[in-house]
Amino acid sequence: MEPSHAPPSRGQLSSSSGGNFQHPNLLPRAHPTPSSLPIAEIGVGTTGFGIFFILFGILLYFDSVLLAFGNLLFLTGLLLIIGLRKTFSFFFQRHKLKGTSFFLGGVVIVLLRWPLLGMFLETYGFLSLFKGFFPVVFGFLGNASDIPFLSALFRRLQGTSSMV
């Protein structure tokens, strides 16, 4: 009687590797590739680079190319983090239309190479859009002294009395 060459079912053990029995569910998985990273993690990185380019553009006397690139990266990252539908529902709520128009208008003005005016419009729009998040951020920063590493750092910084 010849041995059957049918592949084992999902629950059976396989001995095709020379007597090495391996269960199909216990096989090692491949290392994650860049394409298998979650979209939100890529969005966080993109948003971080956008903020970096915006700050770097401001540091270099409102360089319009860096500011425009930073704005595009920031908006793209925001889309990747929270999704297209939630982003549009956030920006286009009735009570946020004024902030949205100033923010997106500022982005367009920066893209048209008027960086100073565009950044002023964007800043006003950003403050108007995200004013509900500021109490949460300040509340977190107020509680940051309860974190063990940061509390030691704050105590060390309080001991220095340099006027420089």
Side-chain angles (χ1 to χ4, degrees):
M1 188 172 203
E2 290 184 24
S4 92
H5 294 289
S9 68
R10 186 124 176 106
Q12 295 178 343
L13 296 177
S14 170
S15 64
S16 61
S17 59
N20 230 354
F21 291 100
Q22 292 180 348
H23 192 275
N25 292 337
L26 301 177
L27 294 176
R29 294 185 181 179
H31 294 289
T33 60
S35 63
S36 68
L37 289 175
I39 298 294
E41 290 181 12
I42 297 171
V44 169
T46 307
T47 303
F49 277 117
I51 292 171
F52 169 75
F53 278 110
I54 289 172
L55 293 176
F56 197 54
I58 290 171
L59 216 105
L60 292 175
Y61 301 111
F62 291 94
D63 183 43
S64 61
V65 174
L66 288 174
L67 291 174
F69 192 59
N71 282 329
L72 294 176
L73 284 175
F74 178 77
L75 291 174
T76 303
L78 196 63
L79 283 170
L80 292 175
I81 290 173
I82 62 176
L84 190 63
R85 179 176 291 158
K86 288 182 182 179
T87 302
F88 279 113
S89 68
F90 173 77
F91 276 108
F92 295 107
Q93 295 174 7
R94 182 174 290 286
H95 65 280
K96 292 184 179 182
L97 283 178
K98 179 178 161 187
T100 300
S101 61
F102 273 99
F103 183 75
L104 295 179
V107 170
V108 169
I109 297 294
V110 167
L111 290 173
L112 293 174
R113 294 187 170 253
W114 288 72
L116 194 60
L117 177 63
M119 287 308 293
F120 282 130
L121 293 174
E122 275 186 57
T123 303
Y124 177 74
F126 183 83
L127 292 175
S128 177
L129 279 171
F130 294 100
K131 64 184 172 191
F133 294 113
F134 291 128
V136 175
V137 171
F138 292 138
F140 172 75
L141 292 176
N143 293 333
S145 62
D146 297 336
I147 299 172
F149 173 74
L150 291 179
S151 63
L153 180 68
F154 289 152
R155 277 195 307 270
R156 180 180 291 170
L157 291 175
Q158 276 181 338
T160 62
S161 60
S162 174
M163 294 298 287
V164 178

